Amino acid sequence: MPLSTADIAVLTVILLVFGVVVAASFFDMAIYRQRPAGDERPLTRGQEILMAFSACTNLEKLNKPDPTDDLGILHGLRLFSMVFIILGHRCLFSYGGPFFNPEFLEERYRKIEDMFLLNGTLLVDTFFVLSGFLTCFGILLEIHKRKTLNVPMLYLYRWMRLTPVYMMVVAFYATLFSKVDSGPLWKARVGLEQERCVQNWWTNLLYVNNYVNADQLCMFQSWYIACDMHYFLLAPLIVIPLYKNPKLGLALLAGVTSLSIVIPFAVTYVGEYSGVLRVYMSLLEDPPSNEDYYAVYIKSHNRAAPYFIGMAAAYLYGILKLSDIKIPKGVMWGCSLAATVVGLTSMFGAWVFYIPGREYFAGENAAYASLHRVGWALTVAWVVLGGCTTRFGVLQPLLQLNAFLPLSRLTYCAFLTHGAVQLYTLATLRQPEFMSFPKLFWMASGDITISFIVALFVHLFFEAPLGAIQKMLLRKKPANRPRNENAPAAVHMADAPPPPPVASTPPPPETSTPPSPRETTPEIPDNPDEQQSSV
């Protein structure tokens, strides 16, 4: 298939960036790091920009440990959430594709234990909680250090931090993706995705894709990034009063949280929608064209409660840390038990909506639609609070495993790219498959592995270099980086790759004295995602 002008343009950008990365890495290893120990001349601005593309330095930054482990539990939460979201999307693609034994899917609807996958959309709310938590905590820290907050610059920094790599993936969808391979389902799946991205890429650029032409969504998981951006725009308007006038700030936070619970109730009740996004064939064949998906599920006003609960958890965490309060063991056990019950009820309660022939009750569906995400968000918020203050014993070392650190920082790129990996495997099928749980987990393992490998290249080619250049543009003075320095510069809160749920704040200025332990925070990525993840 011949390449179009747009295809050639995107391919040229990729090849040029690849060449720059190779050249920068050679300069870094063969010249920069081989300078005599006494050569303390700073880099020129051009050399700084070139070094931003060095794969060697960016790999070191990717594996650089956090200054403290206070919020280390978030790395594990983010990584495991991303893994399970990829597993859930594998089920979505495989159930919506050709397979020999449709009775396998029918059995899933009848078994309550399968709600972990069928109602796995709750895992996306984990990212919203983490994003709200880190956004609120980051802004509070920024105001505390600088005594002010440049809100327009904060918004600009956020947009610049997320958009370039995001739009590069959208450009790939709109151009080269359709040229990669072929198959019986290729045009129906990949061709349709390309057509939607060609027509609606601008809605992704403006972060309005979950409202404008939402039934023609480019990248089915991209709605999450739009939601997270919308909440981030609101966050400073709540956090600034929260810092300067806590009573007013808490009233605002309580008000928007209450509103975010009432709105999905009203939408579900008035529209007579289901209380849960049911994974029936009408959804599996093409999620963006499903009314429950584009009219309810992906709307920011229906998904906001977990984000604001995360913000409330951050404020409470700040109080506990400043007061050096440890939660008593009895309270930890009691709250953990209650959180487990609430979380499991929120997850597995969806089973009643899959019972065949069950009468529809508008109030019941509306109540579940508005409260099950709140219940799950409260559970996640407790895990974050408990893990970051008193800690959970045997669970803590698992979630803070050092091996998870670089993978956690790749979750934003994995979130952006895993859909293409799974779409490719479905669109290239030549014959139906026999579906089983071992087969699903086998395919999901491949999805996870390939997605993170692709994410690593996207990070090294686009996310890390552009993030470093952005910091150069925003800082007031050029860095006085000695030429014989082998280790990468220290990474601030906003330097790390943004997974689906995470907030970004401009890096604080360097100080001549080290911050106190209470002011020191671990490296906090900008989103996943933001954060952040996502159906």
Side-chain angles (χ1 to χ4, degrees):
M1 187 179 296
L3 297 179
S4 66
T5 303
D7 297 336
I8 295 173
V10 173
L11 183 60
T12 300
V13 170
I14 295 174
L15 292 177
L16 284 174
V17 171
F18 173 75
V20 173
V21 169
V22 171
S25 302
F26 176 80
F27 173 79
D28 186 9
M29 298 301 294
I31 301 176
Y32 175 72
R33 301 194 187 206
Q34 302 304 318
R35 289 284 181 173
D39 189 350
E40 297 291 336
R41 288 175 297 170
L43 291 172
T44 66
R45 179 51 63 94
Q47 289 173 331
E48 277 194 282
I49 293 175
L50 181 64
M51 284 291 291
F53 287 87
S54 170
C56 307
T57 295
N58 289 328
L59 281 172
E60 289 175 342
K61 289 182 179 181
L62 191 63
N63 200 40
K64 186 178 179 64
D66 289 334
T68 75
D69 65 349
D70 286 356
L71 300 181
I73 191 175
L74 303 187
H75 289 299
L77 285 174
R78 185 163 50 237
L79 177 60
F80 282 116
S81 296
M82 189 70 247
V83 166
F84 283 117
I85 283 171
I86 294 176
L87 172 60
H89 286 169
R90 165 47 58 193
C91 294
L92 186 72
F93 279 106
S94 294
Y95 291 164
F99 56 98
F100 284 115
N101 52 329
E103 64 277 4
F104 175 81
L105 179 56
E106 292 296 330
E107 290 175 5
R108 307 283 71 77
Y109 299 141
R110 300 187 182 97
K111 295 186 176 181
I112 190 171
E113 61 268 24
D114 286 317
M115 291 303 110
F116 177 73
L117 293 176
L118 295 180
N119 198 24
T121 60
L122 278 178
L123 293 170
V124 182
D125 294 299
T126 301
F127 280 127
F128 281 131
V129 174
L130 297 181
S131 186
F133 181 93
L134 292 172
T135 298
C136 181
F137 185 69
I139 294 176
L140 286 172
L141 185 65
E142 185 74 7
I143 299 174
H144 177 69
K145 287 184 175 182
R146 298 189 178 185
K147 307 306 178 186
T148 185
L149 183 69
N150 188 333
V151 176
M153 183 60 70
L154 183 71
Y155 291 156
L156 176 63
Y157 188 87
R158 171 71 166 189
W159 188 89
M160 291 173 62
R161 198 74 178 88
L162 300 183
T163 306
V165 62
Y166 176 30
M167 294 311 298
M168 194 64 216
V169 176
V170 170
F172 175 78
Y173 268 76
T175 56
L176 298 175
F177 193 12
S178 63
K179 310 296 194 303
V180 171
D181 211 323
S182 63
L185 300 175
W186 189 261
K187 186 174 179 60
R189 295 288 186 165
V190 177
L192 178 61
E193 195 77 7
Q194 179 193 29
E195 181 182 336
R196 286 172 172 170
C197 288
V198 168
Q199 295 176 353
N200 299 299
W201 61 269
W202 60 274
T203 64
N204 296 68
L205 177 66
L206 298 176
Y207 295 91
V208 295
N209 49 311
N210 62 333
Y211 283 97
V212 180
N213 301 333
D215 59 340
Q216 298 293 318
L217 189 67
C218 167
M219 290 175 57
F220 76 100
Q221 76 273 30
S222 64
W223 65 269
Y224 167 83
I225 307 177
C227 287
D228 194 64
M229 179 62 79
H230 299 162
Y231 306 147
F232 185 85
L233 295 176
L234 290 175
L237 307 181
I238 299 171
V239 180
I240 292 174
L242 201 59
Y243 182 86
K244 295 185 176 180
N245 188 339
K247 289 184 179 180
L248 174 60
L250 288 172
L252 282 173
L253 184 57
V256 295
T257 303
S258 300
L259 197 61
S260 68
I261 297 173
V262 171
I263 288 176
F265 180 95
V267 169
T268 305
Y269 188 89
V270 173
E272 296 186 348
Y273 293 108
S274 173
V276 65
L277 183 67
R278 290 182 290 190
V279 189
Y280 288 153
M281 195 53 65
S282 58
L283 173 73
L284 294 170
E285 288 179 344
D286 183 27
S289 65
N290 180 275
E291 184 181 0
D292 286 301
Y293 187 87
Y294 70 75
V296 180
Y297 178 74
I298 68 174
K299 300 302 186 188
S300 299
H301 56 266
N302 289 328
R303 304 301 302 266
Y307 192 93
F308 295 125
I309 289 173
M311 292 180 64
Y315 185 73
L316 181 57
Y317 169 74
I319 293 175
L320 293 175
K321 290 296 289 183
L322 288 174
S323 305
D324 199 22
I325 297 175
K326 296 291 184 182
I327 303 174
K329 286 188 177 180
V331 176
M332 283 287 292
W333 278 101
C335 290
S336 298
L337 179 61
T340 301
V341 172
V342 170
L344 292 177
T345 302
S346 300
M347 175 69 74
F348 295 101
W351 176 69
V352 299
F353 301 105
Y354 283 93
I355 297 175
R358 190 171 184 273
E359 185 179 354
Y360 178 87
F361 297 100
E364 176 189 56
N365 281 265
Y368 185 80
S370 62
L371 295 178
H372 78 297
R373 301 194 184 282
V374 173
W376 183 262
L378 290 172
T379 300
V380 176
W382 169 248
V383 172
V384 173
L385 276 177
C388 294
T389 54
T390 307
R391 311 203 170 196
F392 283 108
V394 68
L395 181 64
Q396 199 81 19
L398 175 63
L399 293 176
Q400 292 191 210
L401 201 63
N402 289 335
F404 293 160
L405 188 61
L407 294 175
S408 169
R409 292 169 177 167
L410 290 175
T411 50
Y412 179 56
C413 291
F415 166 73
L416 291 175
T417 59
H418 81 276
V421 172
Q422 295 177 322
L423 195 58
Y424 173 86
T425 60
L426 173 64
T428 53
L429 280 177
R430 260 59 179 184
Q431 62 182 15
E433 298 182 291
F434 186 86
M435 200 57 58
S436 65
F437 275 125
K439 183 68 175 289
L440 282 173
F441 284 107
W442 174 261
M443 290 190 291
S445 299
D447 294 338
I448 294 165
T449 303
I450 299 300
S451 296
F452 274 92
I453 291 174
V454 174
L456 176 61
F457 283 99
V458 173
H459 172 77
L460 295 177
F461 281 25
F462 299 102
E463 185 184 28
L466 294 175
I469 292 173
Q470 177 188 348
K471 283 179 29 180
M472 294 177 200
L473 296 176
L474 293 179
R475 72 181 176 216
K476 294 181 179 179
K477 295 181 179 180
N480 188 25
R481 185 181 181 186
R483 288 181 179 269
N484 64 339
E485 181 186 12
N486 290 330
V491 183
H492 291 293
M493 265 178 33
D495 295 344
V502 187
S504 59
T505 56
E510 297 289 347
T511 57
S512 57
T513 57
S516 67
R518 289 179 182 175
E519 291 179 325
T520 304
T521 59
E523 180 179 8
I524 301 178
D526 297 291
N527 192 48
D529 214 317
E530 122 197 206
Q531 13 231 280
Q532 3 323 14
S533 79
S534 317
V535 180

